[in-house]
Amino acid sequence: MYDFPMTVILAYMYDLPQPDEHCSFQPLSSRENSAWSAYFKDESILEEINKDVQRTYPDMHFFVDDKKHYKALHRALFIYAKLNPGICYVQGMNEIYAPIYYVLAHDEDPE
């Protein structure tokens, strides 16, 4: 019935009914309260964050030489967007968070 392999994974991630449990399982549902709608909104946020993070301080070896720092920025900005839905993610937040992350990453005191 569903040949899209991500449906089962997404069903678990977003607490959706399994395809064989409910005939109302609609991966392309556009209802506002649909888990699929939340998934597509998350994908949109992730795409916007990804575009900005890739352009964060391209002249700094700290970010360019080790891609784990870009990944950390990406994760932190997405978590912030999810925890603050009223603000969400706004272009340029990466420019604000990157220096903070840089200082924290170079902090010698583990506490």
Side-chain angles (χ1 to χ4, degrees):
M1 181 173 176
Y2 293 95
D3 58 355
F4 182 58
M6 290 297 291
T7 56
V8 174
I9 295 169
L10 295 173
Y12 285 111
M13 285 176 53
Y14 291 91
D15 197 27
L16 297 168
Q18 293 298 311
D20 56 348
E21 290 178 8
H22 295 45
C23 61
S24 64
F25 181 76
Q26 296 294 324
L28 301 177
S29 174
S30 61
R31 290 185 325 220
E32 195 63 33
N33 62 349
S34 163
W36 285 103
S37 178
Y39 167 76
F40 290 123
K41 183 178 179 185
D42 287 353
E43 284 298 306
S44 174
I45 293 168
L46 285 168
E47 183 179 321
E48 186 176 351
I49 291 171
N50 191 43
K51 280 192 269 185
D52 286 347
V53 166
Q54 289 177 5
R55 294 181 280 211
T56 303
Y57 298 113
D59 55 335
M60 285 187 68
H61 293 290
F62 175 76
F63 291 109
V64 176
D65 293 344
D66 194 350
K67 298 298 182 190
K68 74 177 182 182
H69 300 300
Y70 280 143
K71 291 178 183 176
L73 284 175
H74 193 271
R75 284 192 308 268
L77 291 168
F78 180 69
I79 290 169
Y80 180 85
K82 291 297 286 182
L83 293 175
N84 298 284
I87 300 170
C88 199
Y89 176 78
V90 180
Q91 185 177 12
M93 284 183 168
N94 60 312
E95 298 291 336
I96 295 169
Y97 181 63
I100 296 168
Y101 174 77
Y102 178 81
V103 170
L104 292 174
H106 282 88
D107 187 16
E108 295 179 12
D109 187 13
E111 294 180 31

